[in-house]
Amino acid sequence: MATDIKPDVRSDVDVVVVGAGFAGLYMLHRLRGLGFSTVVLEGADGVGGTWYWNRYPGARCDIMSVDYSYSFDPELEREWQWSEKYATQPEILAYANHVADRYDLRKDIRFATRVERATWDAGARCWRVRTGTGDEITCRFYVMATGCLSLPKSIDIEGADRFGGDIYYTHHWPHEGVDFTAKRVAVIGSGSSGIQSIPIIARQAAQLTVFQRTPNFSRPALNGPAPQAKLDAFKADRDAYRQAARLSQIGVPAPVTMVGAMQVSEQERRAVYEAAWNSGDLLPTTFADMPTSAVSNETFCEFLREKIRSIVKDPATAEALCPTGYYYGTKRPCLDSGYFETFNLPQVRLVDLRRTPITTITETGIQTTAESMEFDAIVFATGFDAMTGAIVAVDINGRDGLPLKQKWAEGPKTYLGLMTVGFPNCFLITGPGSPSVLSNMMVSIEQHVDWVSEAIDYMRRAGLETIEPTATAEAGWVQHVNDCADITLFPQASSWYMGANVPGKPRVFLPYIGGVDRYRKTCDEVVAQGYLGFCFEGASGVACNDGVIRRLQPDVTIVLEVIESLGLPPVESMSPEAARTLFVALATQRPPGPAVGEIVDGALPGAAGELNYRLYRPATAGPHPVVVYYHGGGWVLGGYDSDDPLCRDLCVRSDSIILSVDYRHAPEARFPAAVDDALAALQWVSFHAKALGGRPGPVAVAGWSAGANLATVACRLARDAGGPPVAGQLLIAPVTDADLTRPSYHENGERYVLTSAIMQWFFDHYVDTAGRADPRVAPLRARDLSNLPPATIVTCEFDPLRDEGAAYAEALAAAGVDVKHIKARGHIHSSLTMVDLVISGAPYREQMGEALRRYASAGRAASLVRAASLV
Ligand code: FAD
Ligand code: NAP
């Protein structure tokens, strides 16, 4: 009988674990060590999971064995020696068996026992687990260690059941092996399993025909002894080595680069790619922007295609083997041993299913749209219903009988990939929403097992009975997982990461792409913050610690980390001169922004002397609408240089001339100098729009931060002066008031680059305290906001200025102005200006460009009406 957590609640065991792969084995070991009674239920009649089932010829790991092994016991590490860099399936299976024996795990594993149903019994606060043999086991905690790649995808090719020859599946290979000598063999599928098995089957078979739907990127594994340098590093300090793996991006210690592919010369780029090709490493370090930049990624794709063309002798076959239509890495890349060379053998043929799809499998072979072929054997290497398949294959019913399959009908929803709302005490090992398949899975398995074990242990010590995430925490995590994926190229591919390989499966990016290191930190932080996002139920009732663990956009987080690592002095401790120098120095480090048609620097008359400007003209045929842009910098810092990437971006997106004009800075020229200059510039540009190559009609204004303040103030002053008319105003994170007490100042005033202290410093330099209520400083305080041009106001969630921007949007709307308020979720004051650096800002920048296009077409329509009325 189990050591029940509460004496009044009884169950057969404390924990049921489903699956005896590497996850289930370690879970059992940990729970047993903590004194929890545990039973593991496994459908196979042996341990090893993946390595029990996938016995096809050539099966081996493609993460180096020294990394792809447990780290929880130094003794185990010392006594097990891997024979080569990438161990074969039999060796990895032998390792799993060794682990099972060494820790005497088998006695708590029921083999040949498939779990069919698991139902939460709310009254008894336990799970009722039903097996294929009809047994029912009750448990306090239910752990799905069922594997990400364990449920094969059903064969979705017409006629497959008609074939009279031999059928083999890579995922369910006969234990006794297969002899293909003198056989005509077809292999369908060219993912990792196909790519590993094809060269070996080709050596045996009389004929081998490979049916390829999507070509894959593959590089030589260069298998052999493990690299000496790696072994030395491992043996010298195992703890440090393992810790480096845990704190790495993918669960393998590897150098990190911040360099983008296009930041180096073509020669240097090729050298990096050659090194990657010759590394025999699945995930060599190349360039930082490989997952995010289509242009950079394509350079590697083309390099790899060249390699294929250089290996495969028949040009048509080579071309058919060249992956196109998706970016490198967005479908799982492969390592091979002579895969492309295999297609030079006379008995091997490639059928490109993109040109001639299979129409049916017949009694004797395979028919495509072009021909009928006869075979003795067909090998299906067609993959898995990945990440969710094995979980929802069990009929899991949570609170109020909610079926998990129903809850996940639109795609899986989890908190941290570990739990899902409505299913108390049910844990997922390497579940969707965790790094799992985007990592060395051994590292991710160990991390999850440790986290779950510690959570259950914590509950026992605290006298708690159930744990379940909150809806807010789960929604926040799902959002974060998507935010991370959305800044990469991954969602563009029809991959199994997206569920795209299984007909009818919702297209959702399944794993967490933020990295093993960040993910681990997040899980640890959740615990450190008192299990943030979880509800616990115990004798004294329910206690929820509701909240969202990651709210910033992932690329904004990285920017903040980089800024912090620079250890810069606070701006408010500097002289304006020193702060300006720093501002310029930081600006030179950014990506330049998109190319535009033409850039012209000039000067225009300000209120008290010349003002420099920079004009950005689109590459499209003109004349273009004109936008006067005012840079940010708290009226103290900046210039047209500082906002250059944003202006380029706005120019391209809005198809407008952006004229970015300087204005006099404080403290040398205090208020109202900047306002006077802003109005003078608006007047001059409006008058000279045509001469500047612009389209006749009212100009629009735009600005960021203090520049947005000047833009809207200039609009109002122009209204009061009877002109010039303004087509619209785009105000990005505007300063609209001088009140530093709003909630957004309290929430965001310290951690997100623009701080309350800096705003105070800006105001002190710009204007006397008495002058801060002047509506030319605080446009929100203007008595009359009616008849102002249509406005688009962008506020950022983690900006001290957020609430005053929102208040200004409301005030304008109340005054009858046409206002669009865009709320940039997860962004800080400056992140929308970081073109090509903060990629998650792009959708908002697109909306800004769209607003300017809208103002331009409205302005054009108005001028046409005016012109028509003159005729
Ligand atoms: P699995 O090993 O899949 O074990 C899950 C177990 O659960 C299985 O034994 C299954 O029978 C059992 N099970 C499932 N459902 C039920 C049920 N309802 N009732 C009872 N039992 C059930 N990852 C890497 O990091 N590096 C690699 O090199 C690598 N190579 C791979 C090669 C292949 C061919 C495949 C398919 C995957 C590979 N992977 C690799 C991923 C691999 O799946 C993981 O590394 C790891 O082995 C997963 O362990 P697991 O215990 O989580 O799941
Ligand atoms: P996979 O990568 O999903 O490949 C399946 C292949 O079958 C793809 O080429 C797919 O084409 C094709 N296919 C599927 N249905 C088809 C159909 N109806 N008609 C024609 N072709 C069809 O599966 P896998 O090779 O088994 O690998 C799965 C994952 O397991 C890998 O990505 C990897 O994570 C892991 N794995 C690792 C290793 C290793 O080297 N260590 C080895 C094997 C597996 P489409 O691409 O067009 O869908």
Side-chain angles (χ1 to χ4, degrees):
M1 188 53 70
T3 52
D4 283 323
I5 283 161
K6 284 218 10 111
D8 57 324
V9 188
R10 309 219 67 80
S11 60
D12 297 330
V13 285
D14 292 330
V15 190
V16 162
V17 177
V18 191
F22 284 126
L25 292 177
Y26 181 45
M27 190 81 243
L28 172 59
H29 175 65
R30 279 287 272 145
L31 290 171
R32 203 193 262 174
L34 288 166
F36 291 106
S37 61
T38 306
V39 65
V40 176
L41 306 177
E42 167 57 61
D45 53 16
V47 298
T50 290
W51 306 101
Y52 172 92
W53 295 107
N54 293 267
R55 297 171 188 240
Y56 59 83
R60 51 174 85 235
C61 56
D62 58 5
I63 296 283
M64 289 189 210
S65 299
V66 68
D67 297 305
Y68 188 65
S69 51
Y70 287 124
S71 74
F72 65 83
D73 184 349
E75 283 305 313
L76 173 65
E77 284 179 332
R78 262 189 284 277
E79 71 199 19
W80 187 270
Q81 300 299 323
W82 294 103
S83 66
E84 47 189 333
K85 187 163 84 167
Y86 298 115
T88 57
Q89 172 272 330
E91 189 174 3
I92 304 172
L93 183 59
Y95 175 73
N97 277 296
H98 170 74
V99 169
D101 293 337
R102 190 186 193 288
Y103 301 99
D104 195 15
L105 299 176
R106 285 177 214 280
K107 66 178 186 215
D108 289 323
I109 305 175
R110 291 192 206 166
F111 293 109
T113 306
R114 190 146 281 279
V115 172
E116 292 187 339
R117 189 186 309 152
T119 306
W120 174 246
D121 182 334
R125 288 186 189 156
C126 72
W127 282 94
R128 298 187 177 282
V129 181
R130 195 156 187 88
T131 71
T133 52
D135 294 337
E136 185 176 277
I137 306 169
T138 56
C139 55
R140 314 283 319 134
F141 297 96
Y142 175 66
V143 180
M144 290 292 277
T146 43
C148 295
L149 295 158
S150 59
L151 186 81
K153 163 185 129 108
S154 2
I155 302 302
D156 51 359
I157 303 174
E158 212 262 322
D161 48 355
R162 261 194 284 157
F163 184 62
D166 298 328
I167 291 190
Y168 301 102
Y169 305 94
T170 48
H171 56 80
H172 201 159
W173 204 257
H175 287 205
E176 63 282 9
V178 180
D179 183 4
F180 288 113
T181 308
K183 297 270 169 68
R184 296 163 302 168
V185 183
V187 175
I188 303 179
S190 53
S192 303
S193 303
I195 281 177
Q196 282 188 329
S197 56
I198 284 164
I200 298 178
I201 297 174
R203 272 184 244 146
Q204 261 186 9
Q207 280 175 30
L208 172 65
T209 307
V210 176
F211 289 82
Q212 172 197 268
R213 190 164 66 182
T214 310
N216 244 309
F217 288 107
S218 185
R219 288 177 290 108
L222 307 177
N223 198 21
Q228 199 52 48
K230 200 169 189 52
L231 289 182
D232 290 346
F234 183 55
K235 284 182 186 153
D237 189 343
R238 286 168 206 265
D239 284 351
Y241 186 92
R242 294 297 200 187
Q243 194 56 10
R246 293 181 193 116
L247 299 178
S248 68
Q249 169 80 16
I250 41 130
V252 176
V256 174
T257 179
M258 297 295 279
V259 180
M262 307 316 284
Q263 285 174 263
V264 301
S265 69
E266 193 185 340
Q267 203 183 5
E268 287 170 89
R269 207 161 43 237
R270 283 194 75 85
V272 169
Y273 294 158
E274 281 292 349
W277 178 265
N278 294 318
S279 69
D281 200 341
L282 181 68
L283 303 161
T285 304
T286 52
F287 292 105
D289 56 351
M290 209 45 72
T292 52
S293 161
V295 174
S296 294
N297 191 301
E298 177 57 26
T299 60
F300 193 37
C301 294
E302 194 45 34
F303 171 88
L304 294 170
R305 289 184 206 116
E306 278 172 27
K307 289 287 185 194
I308 296 170
R309 291 180 192 119
S310 73
I311 297 171
V312 180
K313 295 199 176 112
D314 173 47
T317 306
E319 223 38 58
L321 285 164
C322 282
T324 52
Y326 66 96
Y327 293 104
Y328 175 81
T330 59
K331 278 171 85 97
R332 169 71 154 70
C334 307
L335 285 186
D336 68 85
S337 299
Y339 175 66
F340 294 115
E341 291 82 348
T342 300
F343 292 91
N344 294 331
L345 297 175
Q347 73 275 26
V348 178
R349 182 186 164 200
L350 182 75
V351 174
D352 183 352
L353 298 180
R354 290 170 304 176
R355 294 166 70 94
T356 55
I358 296 176
T359 48
T360 185
I361 293 179
T362 64
E363 286 78 4
T364 55
I366 297 175
Q367 196 175 300
T368 68
T369 49
E371 60 187 307
S372 222
M373 287 157 270
E374 304 228 319
F375 297 106
D376 302 307
I378 301 179
V379 175
F380 288 97
T382 43
F384 298 87
D385 183 350
M387 303 223 48
T388 53
I391 299 173
V392 296
V394 177
D395 180 18
I396 304 178
N397 301 286
R399 274 189 203 285
D400 307 318
L402 174 68
L404 183 61
K405 205 172 184 163
Q406 186 181 318
K407 181 183 169 185
W408 285 8
E410 308 292 317
K413 294 179 178 61
T414 70
Y415 184 36
L416 303 170
L418 277 164
M419 297 195 83
T420 184
V421 176
F423 298 79
N425 291 4
C426 171
F427 294 100
L428 312 169
I429 303 300
T430 63
S434 73
S436 56
V437 293
L438 294 177
S439 67
N440 169 4
M441 287 208 55
M442 280 296 207
V443 170
S444 292
I445 284 171
E446 285 193 331
Q447 188 250 338
H448 262 195
V449 168
D450 289 341
W451 196 96
V452 171
S453 309
E454 281 151 29
I456 295 178
D457 187 41
Y458 162 76
M459 289 174 67
R460 176 173 58 184
R461 283 184 279 112
L464 300 166
E465 290 166 19
T466 68
I467 175 172
E468 189 183 339
T470 69
T472 315
E474 181 172 283
W477 184 252
V478 170
Q479 184 67 64
H480 178 61
V481 169
N482 288 332
D483 286 345
C484 291
D486 287 348
I487 58 173
T488 73
L489 303 165
F490 278 69
Q492 295 178 29
S494 293
S495 64
W496 60 255
Y497 297 141
M498 290 292 295
N501 63 329
V502 176
K505 191 167 172 173
R507 293 248 178 154
V508 173
F509 190 70
L510 296 165
Y512 174 68
I513 203 170
V516 163
D517 45 354
R518 285 178 192 285
Y519 176 78
R520 178 182 294 269
K521 217 170 127 200
T522 302
C523 292
D524 291 349
E525 258 177 67
V526 162
V527 175
Q529 292 184 34
Y531 282 93
L532 181 67
F534 284 102
C535 285
F536 289 100
E537 205 173 348
S540 53
V542 181
C544 291
N545 181 7
D546 204 4
V548 172
I549 186 72
R550 292 283 175 256
R551 295 171 59 207
L552 282 169
Q553 290 289 343
D555 42 6
V556 173
T557 304
I558 294 170
V559 165
L560 287 174
E561 286 169 0
V562 171
I563 292 175
E564 196 182 335
S565 73
L566 297 175
L568 301 171
V571 170
E572 67 275 14
S573 69
M574 296 182 186
S575 68
E577 225 15 81
R580 284 172 194 152
T581 309
L582 176 68
F583 209 61
V584 171
L586 289 176
T588 57
Q589 302 300 312
R590 302 162 311 187
V596 299
E598 185 189 25
I599 292 184
V600 181
D601 285 348
L604 57 80
E610 284 204 329
L611 302 174
N612 291 328
Y613 70 75
R614 176 165 290 171
L615 181 147
Y616 305 82
R617 199 185 309 283
T620 53
H624 300 95
V626 180
V627 179
V628 185
Y629 177 87
Y630 304 95
H631 66 78
W635 308 281
V636 178
L637 315 173
Y640 55 61
D641 274 333
S642 61
D643 292 26
D644 185 75
L646 177 63
C647 289
R648 287 165 176 270
D649 196 69
L650 285 176
C651 171
V652 172
R653 291 184 193 275
S654 65
D655 200 31
S656 303
I657 290 173
I658 306 289
L659 189 143
S660 176
V661 64
D662 274 355
Y663 46 86
R664 281 169 294 159
H665 281 161
E668 295 84 351
R670 285 165 68 87
F671 171 78
V675 172
D676 294 343
D677 281 346
L679 180 62
L682 172 61
Q683 289 165 335
W684 187 87
V685 176
S686 298
F687 193 72
H688 294 87
K690 199 168 166 207
L692 292 165
R695 191 193 283 170
V699 302
V701 295
W704 167 55
S705 193
N709 167 281
L710 295 174
T712 195
V713 168
C715 284
R716 207 185 61 254
L717 296 178
R719 176 201 67 183
D720 295 346
V726 178
Q729 39 179 337
L730 168 63
L731 311 177
I732 308 164
V735 183
T736 69
D737 201 359
D739 175 1
L740 276 59
T741 64
R742 286 196 161 78
S744 54
Y745 264 96
H746 292 298
E747 289 165 28
N748 307 322
E750 285 184 0
R751 283 183 293 164
Y752 305 114
V753 184
L754 180 67
T755 61
S756 304
I758 297 175
M759 278 310 293
Q760 188 65 55
W761 186 82
F762 284 150
F763 274 116
D764 291 345
H765 282 304
Y766 183 47
V767 57
D768 296 340
T769 313
R772 292 179 196 175
D774 187 315
R776 290 173 302 163
V777 175
L780 184 58
R781 301 190 188 205
R783 267 203 312 263
D784 177 12
L785 291 170
S786 63
N787 293 317
L788 286 173
T792 297
I793 298 181
V794 188
T795 56
C796 299
E797 189 180 358
F798 294 93
D799 183 356
L801 306 183
R802 178 195 67 205
D803 291 349
E804 66 193 67
Y808 193 55
E810 277 174 29
L812 286 176
V817 176
D818 171 10
V819 186
K820 183 167 184 204
H821 181 186
I822 299 170
K823 298 176 187 176
R825 182 179 52 77
H827 281 278
I828 61 172
H829 183 69
S830 45
S831 55
L832 295 181
T833 69
M834 297 182 181
V835 177
D836 293 338
L837 196 62
V838 175
I839 299 166
S840 59
Y844 297 110
R845 287 192 290 273
E846 183 53 31
Q847 289 185 58
M848 296 179 206
E850 192 272 327
L852 292 176
R853 286 199 303 274
R854 198 158 23 92
Y855 297 150
S857 51
R860 187 174 173 75
S863 355
L864 289 175
V865 169
R866 261 198 308 279
S869 64
L870 289 177
V871 174

